[in-house]
């Protein structure tokens, strides 16, 4: 057992963050730097009939003004999509449009100026005439006969159709079902709201012809690859991409954005460093957004409550263009999760990816999995109501038993490990579920609208076996690199392809390596986010950094240990089998005599002096591993939420929130708890307050934080977090992803609680978010309430 | 979020502020800046010049004057909320100030700025109407006093002339008052805010005034509802019946993504009932 893994080591990155010493892209500053600002389309769909940039170009302090044609003529390629399911229709996505805008916020022209104020004035001085074109914003309506086309060459606005599951078993289940419950629901669009807006900076070295790009990315290496191969055209060997401190991503900073091309291209054109930082308004209208599904589904069961089939059809809004991983989210990260935590033979799902005049949609915390969990968990509650069963009992009855792992679902995934019954009983004990139900009965007797929501949710985290990803449509692999470089003094630099933007990798990955080598954590430094320093890596999303990135480091540390052991045996003049590597101290010593040994530092130094190495051993102590996971990991959760709905203002008050999660082995309990708490708050935001709404003509109605309601601390009481551990059997750390489970489970937990509270009024469904007005209208529609 | 170019002038006195406003084209007054500056950063407002009155001495005082309170135009919301004179003399005014925005807004935003801006979702206007406040302003023609009921003209529009500067607000001390709001989950503005004043005459309600903001373009007095409560006891039934009359006060309720006009009207009834109950209890 290590000394650090499993303990709440304080985050080593926090002192710099809380003292304002973090270094973000917006802190990158060079003499003579130009500030880039971008003219954004106010129209959702229009032809540009005239553009006049002369007034802007003539303004004092304006260095240059560029149009879409300039970028095209200057060698910029269109933004590619990195995940293509069969027969995907990919609309062209230029860096800056030339003749037609497809969503509010589309880039129309670019200004470089001496100050950001001048740049903003110049943007305003650019005159653009638009001839409006018909718009479509609705995921399902986009496919209607006669709906306006977002791109004339893409029929019915359909980018792709995709289906997965055992259709025959599904049809049989419904044919033989005793009971069927059905639902039609919307999983509303969300706008990711990272604290730090997106930004990019660039510096061109004309002598060496090297470009350095700083960007707020969760994955600098894939961005370098895309810049080099598709959009900017500078060879990877001459291109360095740095993601320094990044203030939150939640998925929205995975993707390759136009500004990452615009800024370096402008820097090279004007021969000066350049920087662009999004305003919050720009973030709202250009960061790839999340969710936005319309779904029709039904669940089949026997009269004793055994689930037998699930049939799902979903229309997934992809926005005006396909963002980098857009088709992945509603396919291989959504349909594959529809089996939930339940044993059901007949699961079948199909999805239609549609294009609309809205901001592109891609991964947002949870990404596909929250959509699946919300759907499945609502259906299970409807089933419990239909059967007159307690929703927790019905879930326990159908949960995959622990002896069935690894469990093959009908929708491709092989769940690695789990104990869902223990998860639920632990949550029930922790929440005093029976007591909550008793209190609910008493509250109802007093006329109060008290509800209890229970969920059991599944996640697939730690993507992904590269061959599997390739077979599902990915253009890239999902392995991770990890390098452990032991310096001659015995200090250790760890280079990870994972990227931290709030997760605390500088702490957790140091814990892992310190334990693997038996060295003090203070002597381990974690380096990430710089293609100039780190081996090619795939970055951080899908809760993969511990599972995949951590495992790569374990592999490298194993190689270090093997070499150190061999060298130690040689220097101790003992046979390798007669010495041991003590992982508590990092010492190599002769078995049974710890006093006759060599310290880690001594051995590291010996590896570098190379005065006395075993026959054939190379000098140095530096190993790289590329770890391709054998499978996803499958975290699970059971959350219980207790709410009360005010019977006249219809506000929802959360009384208690109990979360029991299984994220496998835990490296740092404090950080895991923080991830779960933050994730839960985000999930509650979807349930109660957040909605990215468009008018029919494609105007974003929640375009500022005056309208878009991110959750605040007073939305929730203290969250009670507990865990069980079923280690993942296929990675060396036994870990599963912890970053998204909270978000996935919280939305249905709150929704189920609110609908349970409203059940006496005859309300069975309300679209999210559950705002007072939506509840009020549902109660009125059910014929109750004032 | 970069405002367009503007000139900046700091006025040393009210007279200088009036003079600058009169002489500069397209000038706007700024005090705490918590409505104007965000609008400028969004370029929704692009004044050619700002006249800053924030450092004019003596304009931030809050004091009792007999049965009234005199609140200087530059008094911040936090200062009003924390003022001992306000808390004892007119608790509802302190309650209103404490309900505004968040702590940063309350530490910078001023009562004069809030009233002059006349945002439909602002909190003070309902309280001013219900309390029957008087707003003192100085312009080129000298000082005048404007009754709150004449002050709010329309959405973001007041009775102030372009070169008039609010200097103070006079508020009668009312024990039986309450302000309750339904807070917008994003902006913290009042979706509906109800200020109720109740004066008891023996066992019956002798006087009642109800100001409501958030529902329509300007804050309004719910006269019919207030009248319905007078002349009888402040019983739960009578309060509920009175609250049922608030709809008479709204011509065209406003709607947005969060709450339609219809729902705001519903909420106005709920909050009126609640505010009347609290006000009546405080009235004793």
């Amino acid at each position: 057992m290590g000394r650090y893994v499993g303990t709440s080591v304080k985050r080593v990155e926090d002192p710099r963050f809380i003292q304002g010493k973090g270094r973000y892209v917006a802190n990158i500053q060079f003499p003579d730097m130009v500030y880039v600002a971008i003219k954004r389309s106010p129209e959702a769909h229009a032809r540009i009939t005239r553009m006049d940039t002369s007034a802007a170009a003539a303004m004092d302090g304006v260095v240059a003004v560029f149009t879409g044609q300039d970028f095209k003529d200057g060698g910029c390629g269109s933004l590619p999509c990195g995940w293509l399911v069969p027969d995907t229709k990919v609309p062209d996505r230029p860096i800056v449009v030339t003749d037609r805008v497809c969503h509010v916020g589309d880039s129309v022209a670019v200004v470089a100026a001496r100050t950001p104020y001048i740049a903003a004035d110049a943007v305003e001085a650019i005159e653009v005439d638009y001839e409006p074109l018909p718009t479509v914003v609705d995921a399902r309506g986009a496919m209607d006969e006669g709906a306006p086309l977002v791109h004339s060459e893409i029929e019915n606005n359909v980018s792709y159709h995709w289906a997965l599951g055992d259709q025959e078993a599904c049809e049989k289940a419904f044919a033989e079902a005793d009971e069927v419950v059905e639902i039609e629901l919307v999983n509303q669009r969300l706008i990711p709201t990272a604290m730090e807006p997106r930004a990019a900076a660039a510096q061109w070295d004309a002598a060496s012809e090297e470009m350095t790009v700083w960007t707020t990315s969760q994955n600098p290496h894939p961005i370098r690859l895309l810049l080099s191969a598709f959009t900017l055209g500078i060879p990877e060997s001459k291109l360095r991409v740095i993601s320094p401190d990044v203030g939150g991503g939640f998925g929205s900073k995975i993707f390759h954005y136009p500004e990452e091309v615009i800024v370096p291209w402008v820097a090279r054109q004007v021969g000066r460093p350049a920087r662009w930082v999004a305003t919050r308004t720009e973030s709202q209208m250009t960061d790839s957004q999340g969710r936005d599904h319309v779904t029709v589904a039904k669940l089949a069961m026997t009269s004793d409550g055994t689930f037998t089939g699930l049939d799902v059809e979903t229309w997934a809004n992809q926005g005006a263009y396909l963002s980098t991983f857009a088709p992945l989210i509603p396919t291989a990260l959504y349909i594959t999760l529809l089996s939930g935590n339940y044993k059901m033979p007949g699961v079948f799902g199909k999805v239609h990816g549609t294009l609309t005049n809205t901001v592109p949609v891609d991964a947002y915390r949870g990404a596909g999995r929250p959509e699946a969990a919300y759907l499945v968990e609502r259906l299970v509650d409807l089933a419990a109501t239909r059967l007159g069963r307690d929703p927790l009992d019905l879930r326990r009855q159908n949960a995959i038993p622990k002896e069935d792992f690894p469990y093959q679902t009908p929708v491709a995934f092989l769940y690695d490990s789990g104990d869902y019954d223990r998860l639920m009983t632990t949550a029930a004990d922790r929440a005093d579920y029976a007591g909550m139900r008793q209190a609910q009965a008493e509250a109802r007797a007093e006329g109060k609208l008290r509800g209890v929501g229970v969920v059991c949710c599944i996640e697939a985290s730690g993507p992904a076996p590269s061959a599997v990803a390739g077979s599902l449509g990915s253009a890239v692999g999902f392995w991770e690199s990890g390098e452990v470089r032991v310096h001659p003094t015995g200090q250790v630099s760890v280079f990870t392809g994972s990227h931290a933007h709030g997760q605390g990798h500088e702490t957790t990955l140091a814990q892992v390596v310190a334990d693997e080598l038996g060295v003090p954590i203070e002597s381990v430094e974690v380096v990430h986010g710089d293609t100039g320093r780190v081996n090619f890596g795939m970055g951080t999303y899908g809760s993969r950094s511990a599972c995949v990135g951590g495992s790569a480091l374990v592999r490298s540390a194993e190689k270090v240990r093997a070499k150190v052991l061999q060298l130690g045996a040689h220097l101790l003049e003992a046979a390798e089998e007669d010495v041991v590597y003590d992982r508590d101290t990092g010492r190599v010593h002769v078995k049974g005599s710890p006093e006759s040994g060599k310290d880690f530092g001594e051995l590291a130094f010996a590896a570098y002096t190379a005065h006395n190495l075993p026959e054939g051993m190379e000098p140095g102590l530096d190993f790289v591993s590329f770890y391709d996971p054998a499978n996803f990991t499958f975290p699970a959760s059971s959350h219980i939420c207790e709410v009360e709905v005010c019977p006249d203002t219809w506000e929802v008050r959360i009384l208690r929130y109990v979360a029991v999660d299984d994220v496998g082995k835990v490296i740092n309990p404090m950080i895991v708890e923080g991830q779960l708490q933050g994730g839960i708050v985000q999930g509650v935001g979807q349930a109660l307050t957040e909605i990215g709404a468009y008018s029919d003509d494609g105007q974003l109605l929640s375009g500022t934080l005056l309208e878009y309601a991110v959750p605040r601390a007073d939305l929730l009481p203290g969250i009670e977090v507990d865990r069980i551990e079923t280690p993942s059997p296929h990675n060396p750390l036994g870990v599963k992803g912890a970053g998204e489970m909270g978000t996935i489970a919280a939305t249905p937990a709150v929704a189920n609680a609110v609908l349970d509270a409203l059940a006496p009024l005859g309300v069975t469904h309300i679209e999210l978010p559950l705002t007072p007005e939506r509840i009020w209208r549902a109660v009125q529609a059910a014929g109750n309430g004032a | 979020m970069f405002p367009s170019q503007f000139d900046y002038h700091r006025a040393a006195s009210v007279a200088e502020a009036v003079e600058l406003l009169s002489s500069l084209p397209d000038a706007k007054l700024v005090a705490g800046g918590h409505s104007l500056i965000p609008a400028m950063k969004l370029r929704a407002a692009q004044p050619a010049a700002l006249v800053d009155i924030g450092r004019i001495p003596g304009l931030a005082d809050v004091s009792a004057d007999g049965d009234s309170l005199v609140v200087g135009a530059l008094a911040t919301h936090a200062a009003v909320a924390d003022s001992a004179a306000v808390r004892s003399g007119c608790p509802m005014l302190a309650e209103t100030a404490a309900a505004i925005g968040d702590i940063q807004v309350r530490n910078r935003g001023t009562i004069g700025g809030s009233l002059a801006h006349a945002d439909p979702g602002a909190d003070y206007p309902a309280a001013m109407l219900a309390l029957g406040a008087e707003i003192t302003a100085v312009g080129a023609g000298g000082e005048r006093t404007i009754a709150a009921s004449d002050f709010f003209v329309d959405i973001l529009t007041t009775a102030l002339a372009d070169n008039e500067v609010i200097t103070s607000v006079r508020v009668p001390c009312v024990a039986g008052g309450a302000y309750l709001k339904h807070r917008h989950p994003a902006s913290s503005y009042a979706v509906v805010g109800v200020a109720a004043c109740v004066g008891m005459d023996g066992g019956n309600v002798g006087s009642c005034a109800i100001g409501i903001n958030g529902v329509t373009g300007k804050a309004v007095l719910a006269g019919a509802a207030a009248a319905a409560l007078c002349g009888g006891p402040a019983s739960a039934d009578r309060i509920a019946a009175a609250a049922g009359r608030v709809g008479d006060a709204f011509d065209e309720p406003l709607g947005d993504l969060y709450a339609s006009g219809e729902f705001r009207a519903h909420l106005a009834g709920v909050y009126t009932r609640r505010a009347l109950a609290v006000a009546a209890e405080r009235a004793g």
Side-chain angles (χ1 to χ4, degrees):
Chain A
M1 276 303 287
R3 295 162 296 165
Y4 300 112
V5 168
T7 65
S8 293
V9 174
K10 287 206 173 141
R11 287 166 38 114
V12 299
E13 42 279 88
D14 282 349
R16 78 171 184 274
F17 290 148
I18 62 176
Q19 294 177 88
K21 292 176 181 169
R23 186 171 162 82
Y24 298 88
V25 175
N27 300 121
I28 305 289
Q29 190 87 38
F30 294 104
D32 211 29
M33 187 171 84
V34 296
Y35 293 82
V36 172
I38 297 164
K39 180 86 172 172
R40 304 283 179 188
S41 170
E43 298 284 339
H45 197 195
R47 204 177 309 286
I48 295 173
T49 54
R50 186 186 73 95
M51 179 159 13
D52 185 351
T53 59
S54 55
M59 288 172 76
D60 189 27
V62 170
V63 176
V65 181
F66 300 106
T67 63
Q69 198 60 44
D70 294 328
F71 285 89
K72 215 169 174 175
D73 296 344
C76 289
S78 295
L79 289 165
C81 179
W83 193 287
L84 300 175
V85 299
D87 302 321
T88 306
K89 307 287 186 300
V90 185
D92 181 53
R93 187 183 186 189
I95 301 304
V96 177
V97 304
T98 51
D99 57 351
R100 196 169 59 96
V101 293
C102 294
H103 67 85
V104 168
D106 225 348
S107 4
V108 170
V110 173
V111 169
R114 192 165 45 76
T115 74
Y117 289 87
I118 296 170
D121 287 347
V123 159
E124 209 170 59
I126 296 172
E127 292 173 24
V128 187
D129 290 347
Y130 297 96
E131 177 193 316
L133 296 168
T135 56
V136 61
V137 298
D138 177 60
R140 185 164 51 177
M143 276 174 64
D144 287 351
E145 186 102 11
L149 294 182
V150 181
H151 303 278
S152 58
E153 71 282 11
I154 299 179
E155 260 180 70
N156 299 322
N157 295 310
V158 174
S159 178
Y160 59 86
H161 300 289
W162 199 80
L164 183 71
D166 190 337
Q167 190 166 14
E168 206 175 304
C170 182
E171 282 166 5
K172 182 168 177 284
F174 283 93
E176 295 172 358
D178 296 326
E179 295 284 352
V180 174
V181 288
E182 298 178 48
I183 198 165
E184 177 171 342
L185 57 76
V186 174
N187 200 294
Q188 86 270 29
R189 184 180 285 240
L190 301 178
I191 303 181
T193 315
M195 189 86 83
E196 180 205 22
R198 285 192 301 113
Q203 189 177 36
W204 169 248
D205 184 327
S208 64
E209 301 201 310
E210 286 175 330
M211 178 70 80
T212 304
V213 179
W214 291 262
T215 178
T216 50
S217 177
Q218 300 176 213
N219 31 234
H221 281 96
I223 296 302
R224 186 185 63 171
L225 170 61
L226 293 168
L227 280 168
S228 184
F230 294 95
T231 51
L232 191 60
I234 293 174
E236 278 178 289
S237 55
K238 294 285 192 186
L239 187 56
R240 180 178 179 187
V241 176
I242 300 171
S243 294
D245 286 329
V246 172
F250 311 113
S252 71
K253 291 173 180 166
I254 299 171
F255 323 117
H256 189 25
Y257 285 99
E259 296 83 3
E260 287 169 329
V261 188
I262 290 171
V263 173
W265 187 88
V266 167
R268 192 173 169 179
Q269 286 293 313
V270 304
R272 290 162 67 168
R275 195 183 80 194
W276 165 84
V277 180
T279 64
R280 182 59 65 183
T281 312
E282 276 183 299
S283 300
Q284 296 283 106
M285 61 168 77
T286 66
D287 290 4
S288 287
Q289 303 181 345
R291 321 276 194 262
D292 205 341
H293 285 191
V294 175
T295 295
V296 178
K298 54 185 179 178
L299 176 69
M301 69 204 98
T302 63
S303 55
D304 78 342
T306 304
F307 303 157
T308 53
L310 176 67
D311 188 12
V312 174
E313 181 169 15
T314 290
W315 290 261
N317 195 336
Q318 301 277 248
Y321 307 105
L322 291 183
S323 175
T324 313
F325 288 114
L328 158 66
I329 315 308
T331 60
L333 287 181
Y334 167 67
I335 301 287
T336 50
L337 274 302
L338 289 174
S339 193
N341 307 57
Y342 309 112
K343 221 172 163 165
M344 282 190 278
V347 183
F348 179 74
K350 60 184 170 199
V351 61
H352 316 286
T354 59
L355 298 164
T356 62
N357 296 111
T358 61
V359 175
V361 177
D362 207 321
Y364 172 60
R365 200 171 192 173
R369 294 149 287 175
E371 294 90 316
Y374 174 59
L375 176 66
V376 171
E377 291 302 291
R378 281 301 304 137
L379 276 169
V380 172
D381 261 28
L382 290 179
T385 304
R386 171 73 60 84
L387 297 166
R389 294 279 304 277
D390 178 272
L392 180 67
D393 283 347
L394 187 63
R395 283 175 171 82
R396 291 184 61 192
Q397 176 187 338
N398 284 283
I400 299 159
K402 70 174 177 190
E403 51 277 9
D404 282 17
F405 289 92
Y407 176 79
Q408 178 64 56
T409 73
V411 274
F413 277 147
L414 181 72
Y415 292 173
D416 57 350
S417 63
D419 186 348
Y420 305 149
D421 194 65
R422 181 154 67 95
L423 201 54
M424 284 187 270
T425 53
T426 306
D429 288 349
R430 178 72 196 248
D432 182 19
Y433 180 70
M436 269 187 187
R437 288 293 182 197
Q438 179 63 35
Q440 179 185 30
E442 289 163 12
R444 278 182 176 171
E446 295 168 24
K448 289 180 179 167
L449 299 172
R450 176 80 69 98
V452 179
V454 184
V455 292
C456 191
C457 296
I458 185 78
E459 186 198 349
S461 68
S466 297
V468 173
S471 73
L472 288 167
S474 176
V476 291
F478 286 97
W479 45 267
E480 193 51 275
S481 71
E483 177 177 357
V484 176
R485 181 184 299 167
V486 183
H487 301 290
T489 57
Q491 299 284 306
V492 182
S493 289
V494 167
F495 301 86
T496 176
S498 299
H499 183 273
H501 29 280
Q503 293 87 345
H505 295 166
E506 290 168 41
T507 308
T508 50
L509 296 180
Q511 287 178 257
V512 168
V513 172
D515 274 3
E516 288 293 324
L517 299 181
V519 299
I521 196 166
E522 295 77 17
S523 66
V524 180
E525 173 215 22
V526 176
V527 180
H528 69 94
D530 182 349
T531 66
R533 297 183 72 191
V534 180
N535 292 287
F536 200 107
M538 290 308 297
T540 288
Y541 37 80
S543 304
R544 68 194 300 272
S545 301
C547 318
V548 192
S551 296
L553 289 171
V554 171
R555 290 285 178 257
S556 290
E558 286 167 352
K559 293 172 190 172
V560 169
R561 277 208 313 273
K563 184 166 180 176
V564 166
L565 183 75
Q566 194 190 350
L567 178 57
H570 175 72
L571 294 176
L572 292 167
E573 297 177 348
E576 257 184 75
E577 53 272 24
D578 293 335
V579 298
V580 290
Y581 188 120
D582 183 342
R583 283 177 57 186
D584 285 336
T585 61
R587 264 170 76 81
V588 174
H589 63 79
V590 176
K591 275 181 190 162
S593 28
E595 66 290 349
S596 64
K598 298 272 183 196
D599 285 340
F600 184 77
E602 284 179 81
L603 293 166
F605 196 69
Y608 280 93
T609 61
H611 294 163
N612 181 11
L613 297 181
E615 185 71 29
M617 180 181 278
E618 291 180 11
L621 197 53
D622 187 352
F623 288 97
V624 187
S625 300
F626 294 83
Y627 180 86
D628 200 9
N631 191 0
F632 285 81
T633 65
F634 293 88
S637 61
S638 182
H639 292 193
I640 298 178
C641 176
E642 185 183 40
V643 303
E644 204 160 286
V645 179
C646 176
D648 52 19
T649 66
W650 306 102
E651 288 163 295
V652 173
R653 191 159 64 93
I654 298 176
L655 306 176
R656 276 186 80 194
Y657 197 100
V658 175
V660 178
D661 288 79
D662 176 5
V663 297
K665 300 292 277 184
V666 165
I667 295 168
N668 185 316
M670 174 191 73
I671 286 177
V672 165
E673 183 173 340
Q675 284 281 1
L676 290 167
Q677 299 243 11
I680 287 164
V681 173
Q682 255 168 313
V684 174
Q686 175 164 22
L688 296 182
T689 66
E690 295 184 50
I691 180 166
Y694 287 89
S695 63
D696 288 343
D697 61 354
Q699 291 296 321
L700 184 55
L701 301 174
S702 44
T704 77
L705 294 179
L706 284 171
E707 299 93 20
Y708 191 82
V710 290
R712 299 183 182 185
D714 63 0
L715 197 63
L716 276 147
I719 301 168
E720 301 165 58
V721 174
D722 205 348
R723 284 186 285 110
I724 71 165
E725 285 186 10
T726 64
S728 174
H730 61 78
N731 69 55
L733 290 164
V735 294
K736 301 177 179 181
E740 297 163 288
M741 197 67 256
T743 310
I744 292 164
T747 306
V750 173
N752 282 350
V754 172
L755 287 159
D756 186 48
L758 299 173
L761 302 181
V763 176
T764 55
H765 180 67
I766 310 175
E767 299 292 7
L768 304 180
L770 303 171
T771 60
E773 175 157 13
R774 286 171 181 233
I775 296 174
W776 177 65
R777 290 195 181 279
V779 170
Q780 284 186 318
N784 286 290
Chain B
M1 308 295 262
F2 296 97
S4 55
Q5 195 164 324
F6 58 90
D7 292 328
Y8 173 85
H9 302 269
R10 183 186 296 158
S13 65
V14 173
E16 190 189 355
V18 171
E19 165 57 29
L20 285 166
L21 286 175
S22 305
S23 59
L24 296 167
D26 194 21
K28 286 287 280 185
L29 211 61
V30 66
H34 268 48
S35 297
L36 181 59
I37 302 297
M40 289 170 66
K41 288 171 76 174
L42 289 168
R43 299 199 172 205
Q46 302 194 9
L50 290 188
V51 176
D52 185 353
I53 58 166
R55 300 192 197 189
I56 295 176
L59 277 192
D61 296 344
V62 181
S63 57
D65 179 18
D67 287 343
S68 301
L69 295 165
V70 178
V71 182
L74 290 183
T76 63
H77 311 320
V80 173
D82 293 346
S83 158
V86 177
R87 290 163 75 107
S88 62
C90 190
M92 186 250 271
L93 186 63
E95 191 167 72
T96 306
I100 297 171
D102 53 35
I103 198 160
Q104 287 87 350
V105 169
R106 292 195 291 276
N107 281 338
R108 288 288 303 168
T110 64
I111 190 168
S114 173
L115 295 177
H117 186 58
D119 192 293
D123 295 291
Y124 271 135
M128 294 299 123
L129 288 173
L131 290 166
E134 291 178 331
I135 292 139
T136 301
V138 173
E143 186 177 279
R144 67 171 174 141
T145 297
I146 310 164
S149 53
D150 296 329
F151 185 81
F152 302 105
V153 175
D154 203 344
I155 186 163
L156 304 176
T157 309
T158 68
L160 288 173
D162 284 347
N163 59 359
E164 272 186 310
V165 179
I166 297 176
T167 51
S168 68
V169 181
R170 177 177 288 271
V171 178
C173 288
V174 172
Y179 178 74
L180 295 175
K181 77 188 276 195
H182 187 94
R183 186 181 288 273
H184 189 284
S187 69
S188 284
Y189 277 110
V191 174
V192 170
V194 177
C197 291
V198 173
M200 297 305 288
D201 181 9
N204 288 338
V205 174
S207 63
C208 178
I210 301 163
I212 300 177
N213 42 230
V215 181
T216 47
K218 63 167 183 168
V220 293
L221 279 166
L229 190 62
C230 291
S235 63
D237 286 351
R238 295 192 73 254
I239 285 175
R245 302 287 304 275
V246 289
D248 295 4
F250 311 129
D251 290 337
E252 284 179 59
L254 299 173
D256 66 7
L257 181 62
Y258 176 74
S260 66
E262 202 185 340
F263 185 58
R264 280 169 202 260
H266 163 75
L267 286 179
V270 173
Y271 282 90
T272 299
R273 177 167 50 74
R274 292 181 181 186
L276 284 172
V278 177
E281 195 181 317
R282 286 178 182 166

